[in-house]
Amino acid sequence: MTETQKSATLTLNGENYELPIFSPTAGPDVVDIRKLYAQAGVFTYDPGFTSTASCDSTITYIDGDKGELLHRGYPIDQLASKSHYLEVCYLLLYGELPTAAQLEDFETRVTRHTMVHEQMHNFFRGFRRDAHPMATLVGVVGAMSAFYHDSLDVTDPWQREVAAVRLIAKLPTIAAMAYKYSIGQPFVYPRNDLDYAANFLHMCFSVPAEEYHVNPILSRAMDRILTLHADHEQNASTSTVRLASSSGANPFACIAAGIACLWGPAHGGANQACLEMLKEIGTVDRIPEYIARAKDKNDPFRLMGFGHRVYKNTDPRATVLKQSADEVLELLGVDDNPLLQVAKELEQTALNDPYFIEKKLFPNVDFYSGIILEAMGFPTSMFTPIFALSRTVGWISQWKEMIADPQNKIGRPRQLYLGETMRDYIDIEQR
Ligand code: CMC
């Protein structure tokens, strides 16, 4: 982080305060207000962090105006077409693309950690069968801290490394177990001869009663979905992981916190909500009704899978996924999928509507991912768990970066207090 010669001057009650300015390698300059309260006795106010950088980071960069997403400098469309999920995991975690030997070693380490502690099978059985798989995921990932005592010490770099690999390796197993449990089928153990995405499909869709062959088209599409969701800088769930870990909490507890945050419909839960919305719309002729509802200030309805805090032009992940949806559905012989038709028409209608143009609302990553996942055979309740398992590497990379940062201190926002000032307690008989 380089402090520039530039500074901002804040004038308050006739006093001037010089605030240093930092220049990033990309993106807008950042005004450093860390000493503002000590010097001027005021806080800044920024609910939702619309103008506040909560950390410095070298992992992911988004240019929302250009619709650009870079991981360690590499554009997401290149990674989606030329790379694969575990290579992107390596890149996010360690900062550089791996050599062939480094990749082989990393893949071996991840593959050797895919099984979960056998006793976890019993733990699953405590959940109701009809539990949402995200509910199970939050609980089981948090409970990993009760099973893996040798990777809880966040001050030990080796334990941090083991926890990172364990989480990346075991999340697909846990997500698949949550799914199997919800449909009353036996858990399927991971297979080390399959790649990461194919193994996940195998654990979700195979049954002991017969052979299951993973369709390579589907495993490639699955891998691409995982790659596109791997990281997204300081979004709500990543910031949750960072905030949770700022207190020194163990990595499994922190990732469980991230999963909980991801679940909401404004964040990772939007993929499930979007597909449900497309089904509710059902036919192209009903689109105007839903567009009108989305524009109506008195109606809480929003177009799910539309809009983004940072992207104000296009979400590059949505562009890749739209193409992927076409390819996958064609290859599966369902290219006349009515949901895809509704989605495409809805997108076109919204993109030509002054409301969406003016507010710079574009399809986001969640708009097309659900169509692909459903075509693969996943129920909507599994969409957000799949997002969670792919984002785990992003959370872990940001967590590792934060813990290694000497500036790391407990996250503790201030507030603009608008409540009562001090008053005397009134006995109940007098109220
Ligand atoms: N449909 C209709 N209007 C919208 C939408 C939408 N999807 N998104 C934003 N707006 C309007 C909103 O009503 C507001 O209007 P006004 O200025 O008149 O009050 C304006 O656009 C700005 O919206 P905001 O809520 O202040 O913007 P934000 O940056 O706080 O929210 C968002 C971003 C993603 C939460 C929001 O666009 C949204 O709720 N989208 C639908 C849910 C969704 O698809 N979420 C997935 C996001 S991408 C993946 C992920 O993060 O996990």
Side-chain angles (χ1 to χ4, degrees):
M1 193 161 55
T2 44
E3 196 176 317
T4 59
Q5 299 301 317
K6 292 184 278 180
S7 67
T9 308
L10 174 74
T11 307
L12 203 71
N13 302 327
E15 290 279 339
N16 284 343
Y17 300 94
E18 290 301 312
L19 303 170
I21 289 186
F22 292 111
S23 270
T25 50
D29 282 350
V30 171
V31 181
D32 178 2
I33 56 161
R34 281 176 294 177
K35 298 203 174 105
L36 184 64
Y37 176 58
Q39 290 174 348
V42 292
F43 299 147
T44 55
Y45 180 59
D46 187 17
F49 299 103
T50 52
S51 304
T52 299
S54 60
C55 62
D56 55 87
S57 180
T58 60
I59 301 173
T60 291
Y61 173 70
I62 303 172
D63 185 324
D65 294 324
K66 287 193 203 150
E68 203 172 73
L69 167 61
L70 311 177
H71 290 322
R72 305 286 191 184
Y74 296 102
I76 191 66
D77 52 325
Q78 289 185 26
L79 294 173
S81 61
K82 297 183 179 175
S83 183
H84 58 88
Y85 182 66
L86 278 187
E87 186 176 64
V88 173
C89 287
Y90 186 99
L91 176 68
L92 289 168
L93 280 169
Y94 305 113
E96 295 295 339
L97 288 169
T99 62
Q102 286 168 331
L103 183 61
E104 193 186 333
D105 171 63
F106 180 64
E107 287 181 338
T108 306
R109 281 192 289 138
V110 170
T111 307
R112 293 294 141 85
H113 276 286
T114 47
M115 287 201 302
V116 295
H117 194 292
E118 194 62 16
Q119 212 175 321
M120 276 193 141
H121 290 225
N122 303 335
F123 185 72
F124 266 88
R125 295 185 209 287
F127 289 94
R128 277 174 58 140
R129 286 275 174 199
D130 58 357
H132 192 288
M134 278 301 275
T136 314
L137 211 57
V138 174
V140 175
V141 172
M144 284 175 80
S145 41
F147 287 89
Y148 300 102
H149 295 148
D150 57 347
S151 47
L152 297 181
D153 181 358
V154 296
T155 63
D156 176 350
W158 173 247
Q159 295 201 31
R160 296 206 295 266
E161 181 64 23
V162 175
V165 171
R166 278 196 170 131
L167 279 157
I168 294 165
K170 293 186 201 307
L171 251 291
T173 314
I174 294 171
M177 287 170 82
Y179 172 53
K180 286 297 197 189
Y181 188 74
S182 72
I183 56 171
Q185 288 187 3
F187 298 136
V188 175
Y189 285 94
R191 267 186 38 193
N192 287 358
D193 60 324
L194 296 175
D195 67 35
Y196 193 87
N199 176 49
F200 177 61
L201 293 176
H202 157 76
M203 290 188 292
C204 287
F205 296 125
S206 73
V207 288
E210 60 187 42
E211 277 287 301
Y212 172 78
H213 296 287
V214 181
N215 181 337
I217 296 160
L218 296 191
S219 64
R220 176 70 195 123
M222 186 77 242
D223 188 279
R224 189 173 282 178
I225 288 178
L226 299 180
T227 301
L228 290 171
H229 288 81
D231 190 44
H232 215 227
E233 52 119 305
Q234 309 312 321
N235 55 81
S237 56
T238 302
S239 300
T240 301
V241 170
R242 280 186 178 258
L243 193 59
S245 82
S246 75
S247 70
N250 78 67
F252 306 112
C254 296
I255 299 303
I259 295 172
C261 177
L262 186 80
W263 195 357
H267 194 6
N271 51 16
Q272 171 170 354
C274 179
L275 201 88
E276 284 163 1
M277 175 193 77
L278 293 174
K279 283 183 176 167
E280 191 184 309
I281 298 175
T283 47
V284 170
D285 58 301
R286 297 190 63 203
I287 289 173
E289 179 194 329
Y290 283 82
I291 292 279
R293 283 188 61 195
K295 289 158 52 175
D296 183 353
K297 280 260 158 258
N298 299 317
D299 188 332
F301 174 78
R302 284 186 169 200
L303 272 198
M304 299 315 286
F306 250 78
H308 199 273
R309 170 64 60 79
V310 186
Y311 293 120
K312 299 298 169 199
N313 176 328
T314 176
D315 179 341
R317 304 167 302 171
T319 313
V320 178
L321 278 174
K322 183 179 181 180
Q323 196 190 334
S324 239
D326 276 331
E327 285 166 13
V328 170
L329 295 182
E330 193 190 327
L331 288 165
L332 290 175
V334 281
D335 47 337
D336 59 346
N337 181 298
L339 289 182
L340 187 61
Q341 285 168 12
V342 172
K344 284 187 172 174
E345 192 60 35
L346 182 62
E347 179 187 358
Q348 272 321 305
T349 313
L351 291 181
N352 289 309
D353 187 292
Y355 173 94
F356 292 87
I357 295 170
E358 192 189 304
K359 295 188 187 304
K360 299 187 175 167
L361 300 170
F362 294 86
N364 59 49
V365 69
D366 294 315
F367 196 68
Y368 284 103
S369 62
I371 293 174
I372 306 176
L373 291 172
E374 190 179 68
M376 284 178 172
F378 286 105
T380 49
S381 61
M382 275 303 285
F383 295 179
T384 317
I386 290 169
F387 193 156
L389 85 86
S390 42
R391 183 56 56 83
T392 295
V393 67
W395 293 327
I396 286 287
S397 304
Q398 304 266 351
W399 167 80
K400 276 183 75 190
E401 179 180 68
M402 177 180 164
I403 291 186
D405 183 350
Q407 296 194 80
N408 178 20
K409 46 169 39 189
I410 188 163
R412 205 315 181 177
R414 300 293 194 155
Q415 65 172 0
L416 168 63
Y417 178 68
L418 298 174
E420 297 287 350
T421 52
M422 196 193 288
R423 49 183 173 165
D424 287 326
Y425 179 81
I426 303 166
D427 289 334
I428 197 158
E429 308 80 47
Q430 268 113 53
R431 280 176 229 159

